[in-house]
PDB file of all heavy atoms in Angstrom:
ATOM      1  N   LYS B 290      16.570 -14.122  26.483  1.00  0.00           N
ATOM      2  CA  LYS B 290      15.593 -13.149  25.700  1.00  0.00           C
ATOM      3  C   LYS B 290      15.306 -11.923  26.505  1.00  0.00           C
ATOM      4  O   LYS B 290      15.286 -10.847  25.919  1.00  0.00           O
ATOM      5  CB  LYS B 290      14.287 -13.971  25.506  1.00  0.00           C
ATOM      6  CG  LYS B 290      14.208 -14.668  24.222  1.00  0.00           C
ATOM      7  CD  LYS B 290      12.886 -15.097  23.994  1.00  0.00           C
ATOM      8  CE  LYS B 290      12.766 -15.973  22.668  1.00  0.00           C
ATOM      9  NZ  LYS B 290      11.585 -16.865  22.438  1.00  0.00           N
ATOM     10  N   LYS B 291      15.072 -12.181  27.840  1.00  0.00           N
ATOM     11  CA  LYS B 291      14.755 -10.930  28.622  1.00  0.00           C
ATOM     12  C   LYS B 291      15.986  -9.940  28.673  1.00  0.00           C
ATOM     13  O   LYS B 291      15.825  -8.723  28.573  1.00  0.00           O
ATOM     14  CB  LYS B 291      14.484 -11.455  30.086  1.00  0.00           C
ATOM     15  CG  LYS B 291      13.510 -10.631  30.828  1.00  0.00           C
ATOM     16  CD  LYS B 291      13.073 -11.268  32.141  1.00  0.00           C
ATOM     17  CE  LYS B 291      13.463 -10.362  33.307  1.00  0.00           C
ATOM     18  NZ  LYS B 291      13.393 -10.850  34.528  1.00  0.00           N
ATOM     19  N   GLU B 292      17.144 -10.572  28.896  1.00  0.00           N
ATOM     20  CA  GLU B 292      18.369  -9.685  28.909  1.00  0.00           C
ATOM     21  C   GLU B 292      18.513  -8.928  27.522  1.00  0.00           C
ATOM     22  O   GLU B 292      18.809  -7.717  27.556  1.00  0.00           O
ATOM     23  CB  GLU B 292      19.516 -10.547  29.143  1.00  0.00           C
ATOM     24  CG  GLU B 292      19.732 -11.014  30.534  1.00  0.00           C
ATOM     25  CD  GLU B 292      20.708 -12.134  30.695  1.00  0.00           C
ATOM     26  OE1 GLU B 292      21.664 -12.270  29.752  1.00  0.00           O
ATOM     27  OE2 GLU B 292      20.723 -12.887  31.716  1.00  0.00           O
ATOM     28  N   ILE B 293      18.284  -9.635  26.468  1.00  0.00           N
ATOM     29  CA  ILE B 293      18.485  -8.953  25.203  1.00  0.00           C
ATOM     30  C   ILE B 293      17.461  -7.887  24.983  1.00  0.00           C
ATOM     31  O   ILE B 293      17.723  -6.827  24.560  1.00  0.00           O
ATOM     32  CB  ILE B 293      18.472 -10.009  24.073  1.00  0.00           C
ATOM     33  CG1 ILE B 293      19.779 -10.783  24.057  1.00  0.00           C
ATOM     34  CG2 ILE B 293      18.209  -9.390  22.728  1.00  0.00           C
ATOM     35  CD1 ILE B 293      19.710 -12.021  23.209  1.00  0.00           C
ATOM     36  N   LEU B 294      16.137  -8.128  25.354  1.00  0.00           N
ATOM     37  CA  LEU B 294      15.181  -7.143  25.177  1.00  0.00           C
ATOM     38  C   LEU B 294      15.575  -5.965  25.987  1.00  0.00           C
ATOM     39  O   LEU B 294      15.333  -4.729  25.491  1.00  0.00           O
ATOM     40  CB  LEU B 294      13.754  -7.640  25.534  1.00  0.00           C
ATOM     41  CG  LEU B 294      13.179  -8.648  24.498  1.00  0.00           C
ATOM     42  CD1 LEU B 294      11.891  -9.224  25.014  1.00  0.00           C
ATOM     43  CD2 LEU B 294      13.069  -8.090  23.129  1.00  0.00           C
ATOM     44  N   THR B 295      15.984  -6.068  27.113  1.00  0.00           N
ATOM     45  CA  THR B 295      16.429  -4.933  27.983  1.00  0.00           C
ATOM     46  C   THR B 295      17.548  -4.147  27.311  1.00  0.00           C
ATOM     47  O   THR B 295      17.540  -2.917  27.124  1.00  0.00           O
ATOM     48  CB  THR B 295      16.931  -5.473  29.383  1.00  0.00           C
ATOM     49  OG1 THR B 295      15.889  -6.310  29.919  1.00  0.00           O
ATOM     50  CG2 THR B 295      17.146  -4.224  30.309  1.00  0.00           C
ATOM     51  N   GLU B 296      18.522  -4.832  26.771  1.00  0.00           N
ATOM     52  CA  GLU B 296      19.646  -4.284  26.105  1.00  0.00           C
ATOM     53  C   GLU B 296      19.249  -3.449  24.869  1.00  0.00           C
ATOM     54  O   GLU B 296      19.656  -2.340  24.657  1.00  0.00           O
ATOM     55  CB  GLU B 296      20.603  -5.342  25.711  1.00  0.00           C
ATOM     56  CG  GLU B 296      21.890  -4.851  25.023  1.00  0.00           C
ATOM     57  CD  GLU B 296      22.466  -5.938  24.102  1.00  0.00           C
ATOM     58  OE1 GLU B 296      21.838  -6.890  23.728  1.00  0.00           O
ATOM     59  OE2 GLU B 296      23.639  -5.782  23.773  1.00  0.00           O
ATOM     60  N   ILE B 297      18.306  -4.069  24.118  1.00  0.00           N
ATOM     61  CA  ILE B 297      17.873  -3.399  22.988  1.00  0.00           C
ATOM     62  C   ILE B 297      17.075  -2.138  23.178  1.00  0.00           C
ATOM     63  O   ILE B 297      17.152  -1.095  22.609  1.00  0.00           O
ATOM     64  CB  ILE B 297      17.118  -4.415  21.989  1.00  0.00           C
ATOM     65  CG1 ILE B 297      17.944  -5.593  21.529  1.00  0.00           C
ATOM     66  CG2 ILE B 297      16.572  -3.647  20.757  1.00  0.00           C
ATOM     67  CD1 ILE B 297      19.182  -5.307  20.810  1.00  0.00           C
ATOM     68  N   GLU B 298      16.289  -2.309  24.324  1.00  0.00           N
ATOM     69  CA  GLU B 298      15.490  -1.123  24.715  1.00  0.00           C
ATOM     70  C   GLU B 298      16.332   0.026  25.133  1.00  0.00           C
ATOM     71  O   GLU B 298      16.061   1.209  24.850  1.00  0.00           O
ATOM     72  CB  GLU B 298      14.498  -1.503  25.941  1.00  0.00           C
ATOM     73  CG  GLU B 298      13.110  -1.946  25.394  1.00  0.00           C
ATOM     74  CD  GLU B 298      12.632  -1.403  24.120  1.00  0.00           C
ATOM     75  OE1 GLU B 298      12.410  -0.162  23.983  1.00  0.00           O
ATOM     76  OE2 GLU B 298      12.515  -2.167  23.116  1.00  0.00           O
ATOM     77  N   GLU B 299      17.409  -0.289  25.760  1.00  0.00           N
ATOM     78  CA  GLU B 299      18.454   0.644  26.223  1.00  0.00           C
ATOM     79  C   GLU B 299      19.041   1.291  24.994  1.00  0.00           C
ATOM     80  O   GLU B 299      19.302   2.512  24.962  1.00  0.00           O
ATOM     81  CB  GLU B 299      19.485   0.004  27.092  1.00  0.00           C
ATOM     82  CG  GLU B 299      19.028  -0.057  28.511  1.00  0.00           C
ATOM     83  CD  GLU B 299      20.073  -0.980  29.360  1.00  0.00           C
ATOM     84  OE1 GLU B 299      21.141  -1.296  28.887  1.00  0.00           O
ATOM     85  OE2 GLU B 299      19.603  -1.321  30.455  1.00  0.00           O
ATOM     86  N   ALA B 300      19.368   0.455  23.966  1.00  0.00           N
ATOM     87  CA  ALA B 300      19.918   1.002  22.751  1.00  0.00           C
ATOM     88  C   ALA B 300      18.911   1.977  22.000  1.00  0.00           C
ATOM     89  O   ALA B 300      19.329   3.101  21.609  1.00  0.00           O
ATOM     90  CB  ALA B 300      20.199  -0.149  21.709  1.00  0.00           C
ATOM     91  N   VAL B 301      17.599   1.623  22.053  1.00  0.00           N
ATOM     92  CA  VAL B 301      16.589   2.441  21.400  1.00  0.00           C
ATOM     93  C   VAL B 301      16.565   3.758  22.187  1.00  0.00           C
ATOM     94  O   VAL B 301      16.493   4.920  21.685  1.00  0.00           O
ATOM     95  CB  VAL B 301      15.250   1.736  21.436  1.00  0.00           C
ATOM     96  CG1 VAL B 301      14.110   2.758  20.987  1.00  0.00           C
ATOM     97  CG2 VAL B 301      15.321   0.601  20.501  1.00  0.00           C
ATOM     98  N   LYS B 302      16.585   3.606  23.540  1.00  0.00           N
ATOM     99  CA  LYS B 302      16.499   4.803  24.436  1.00  0.00           C
ATOM    100  C   LYS B 302      17.646   5.762  24.081  1.00  0.00           C
ATOM    101  O   LYS B 302      17.456   6.939  23.954  1.00  0.00           O
ATOM    102  CB  LYS B 302      16.385   4.391  25.908  1.00  0.00           C
ATOM    103  CG  LYS B 302      16.160   5.481  26.770  1.00  0.00           C
ATOM    104  CD  LYS B 302      15.841   4.881  28.248  1.00  0.00           C
ATOM    105  CE  LYS B 302      15.552   6.024  29.247  1.00  0.00           C
ATOM    106  NZ  LYS B 302      16.587   6.812  29.661  1.00  0.00           N
ATOM    107  N   PHE B 303      18.911   5.218  24.122  1.00  0.00           N
ATOM    108  CA  PHE B 303      20.078   5.912  23.829  1.00  0.00           C
ATOM    109  C   PHE B 303      19.951   6.634  22.475  1.00  0.00           C
ATOM    110  O   PHE B 303      20.181   7.829  22.314  1.00  0.00           O
ATOM    111  CB  PHE B 303      21.263   4.964  23.791  1.00  0.00           C
ATOM    112  CG  PHE B 303      22.581   5.612  23.376  1.00  0.00           C
ATOM    113  CD1 PHE B 303      23.275   6.327  24.320  1.00  0.00           C
ATOM    114  CD2 PHE B 303      23.026   5.446  22.096  1.00  0.00           C
ATOM    115  CE1 PHE B 303      24.609   6.894  23.875  1.00  0.00           C
ATOM    116  CE2 PHE B 303      24.185   6.044  21.652  1.00  0.00           C
ATOM    117  CZ  PHE B 303      25.033   6.721  22.571  1.00  0.00           C
ATOM    118  N   ALA B 304      19.551   5.918  21.429  1.00  0.00           N
ATOM    119  CA  ALA B 304      19.483   6.465  20.106  1.00  0.00           C
ATOM    120  C   ALA B 304      18.408   7.592  20.037  1.00  0.00           C
ATOM    121  O   ALA B 304      18.694   8.574  19.534  1.00  0.00           O
ATOM    122  CB  ALA B 304      19.152   5.341  19.083  1.00  0.00           C
TER     123      ALA B 304
END
Side-chain angles (χ1 to χ4, degrees):
Chain B
K290 271 190 181 163
K291 211 173 121 191
E292 286 166 19
I293 284 168
L294 287 178
T295 308
E296 179 206 19
I297 300 298
E298 272 328 296
E299 280 166 12
V301 172
K302 187 168 185 292
F303 172 83

